[in-house]
Amino acid sequence: MASEVLDVRPLDRCGASIDGIDVTCATDDQIDAIRTAIFQRGVVFIQGRVLAPEEQIAFARRLAPIVINRYFPKAERYPEIAKVEKSESQRTNIGGAWHTDHSYDVAPSMGSVLMAVKTPPEGGDTLFADLYAAYDALSPGLKATLRTLKAHHVSAHAFGEGGHYAKSDRPELGGFKDTPEAVHPVVITHPGSGKPVLYVNPAFTTRFVGWTREESMALLSYLYQHATQDRFVRRFQWRAGSMAIWDNRCTWHHALNDYQGHHRLMHRITLEGGPLS
Ligand code: SIN
């Protein structure tokens, strides 16, 4: 991907790496180039130092306005930063299944800025799937059918009373009464790239509008196994100071939970998006 102001290296399957940048003193042109890389490649990876909360917030604000996550614990004095954390004694991690952030919102998030503060000695990688490529690889017939559909995106079964987290050893992440739902087209036009992309995800999409759950799951399950094939998925290994900035409209991610007995702490900032069409 040509960029005169940044060393953006496209990676196979999904994403791009950006070398040699200190995001705390990026120029406006570099910020624009980072945003373009996210829109085109889905996720960018930057290896740097652990940023202070003020630095991460200031950088994220240059990409887009910040939205406050409803459910996750916040960094002390910095509500903009959600703590994605698992302690040595906890079993359940945050984001431990394929999903995209905030698809249950009427105006879903544009992206997320995740920085590793503390990583386990091994494991705790994150998988990213390229939904542009997954959509492109479908047959013309299935694409045409999907373009006629809308789907329900729901948060209650994850964050609500009796939901996944409420029933786990992380009840502080669940039991909420404020559990938004939204309907979005199954194929959207990405607002930043203009490209068509599949916009359903295994965590929050429950059914197609006008279809039963059972009918929907037959097709959704096919799409989920299709999009998570190795050919569309990149695995990212973190070290303290690594940052991933992903686009929630054209990727899914999955935080692997293979580091029981160790502490992992990430600081996540969610970026504002808008209604999808
Ligand atoms: C998330 O799902 O936002 C967190 C991903 C991770 O911790 O790797």
Side-chain angles (χ1 to χ4, degrees):
M1 185 182 313
S3 167
E4 287 170 8
V5 294
L6 269 188
D7 185 8
V8 180
R9 290 165 199 257
L11 301 167
D12 62 336
R13 300 193 291 277
C14 183
S17 67
I18 299 181
D19 296 329
I21 180 164
D22 177 352
V23 297
T24 63
C25 51
T27 64
D28 288 345
D29 285 348
Q30 287 174 324
I31 294 288
D32 287 345
I34 293 172
R35 206 185 290 104
T36 300
I38 298 161
F39 291 166
Q40 295 293 337
R41 299 295 309 163
V43 53
V44 301
F45 305 108
I46 298 174
Q47 301 287 5
R49 63 180 167 84
V50 176
L51 300 183
E54 297 89 344
E55 292 176 314
Q56 190 182 350
I57 291 167
F59 167 60
R61 274 216 179 97
R62 295 182 70 193
L63 292 170
I66 292 173
V67 283
I68 310 283
N69 179 277
R70 291 174 189 80
Y71 304 124
F72 299 159
K74 307 298 180 297
E76 202 181 337
R77 294 187 290 119
Y78 299 99
E80 298 91 340
I81 295 186
K83 286 202 294 181
V84 176
E85 184 167 28
K86 187 165 84 98
S87 72
E88 290 84 344
S89 60
Q90 291 169 326
R91 305 287 303 170
T92 305
N93 71 339
I94 294 178
W98 282 111
H99 66 286
T100 192
D101 300 332
H102 293 219
S103 73
Y104 44 75
D105 284 333
V106 172
S109 145
M110 166 201 141
S112 301
V113 180
L114 188 72
M115 191 192 57
V117 178
K118 173 91 171 62
T119 53
E122 274 180 59
D125 299 351
T126 304
L127 307 177
F128 292 89
D130 179 344
L131 271 294
Y132 285 133
Y135 176 72
D136 283 348
L138 295 171
S139 67
L142 182 50
K143 283 182 188 162
T145 299
L146 294 173
R147 284 198 297 268
T148 66
L149 299 176
K150 293 186 172 187
H152 293 274
H153 296 248
V154 174
S155 58
H157 59 273
F159 301 109
E161 292 165 338
H164 166 75
Y165 288 113
K167 287 190 290 197
S168 76
D169 71 334
R170 306 295 301 276
E172 76 280 9
L173 302 169
F176 292 92
K177 287 195 173 14
D178 174 20
T179 50
E181 298 187 15
V183 167
H184 304 295
V186 166
V187 179
I188 60 165
T189 301
H190 188 285
S193 70
K195 295 193 277 194
V197 58
L198 185 63
Y199 192 74
V200 290
N201 71 88
F204 300 122
T205 309
T206 51
R207 65 186 176 88
F208 298 116
V209 173
W211 294 35
T212 66
R213 167 85 174 155
E214 193 181 12
E215 290 166 344
S216 304
M217 281 316 295
L219 179 50
L220 287 171
S221 301
Y222 171 75
L223 295 173
Y224 297 161
Q225 68 78 26
H226 168 77
T228 54
Q229 293 173 79
D230 286 350
R231 61 185 167 136
F232 305 127
V233 173
R234 166 152 292 277
R235 182 177 182 134
F236 183 64
Q237 193 175 11
W238 301 88
R239 58 175 164 74
S242 306
M243 190 185 285
I245 311 159
W246 64 82
D247 188 315
N248 279 312
R249 289 86 47 99
C250 59
T251 57
W252 299 342
H253 55 283
H254 176 180
L256 297 176
N257 191 12
D258 55 356
Y259 55 96
Q260 300 300 350
H262 297 284
H263 182 210
R264 181 177 185 269
L265 172 63
M266 319 291 278
H267 280 175
R268 195 183 95 184
I269 296 177
T270 310
L271 301 174
E272 186 177 285
L276 299 170
S277 57

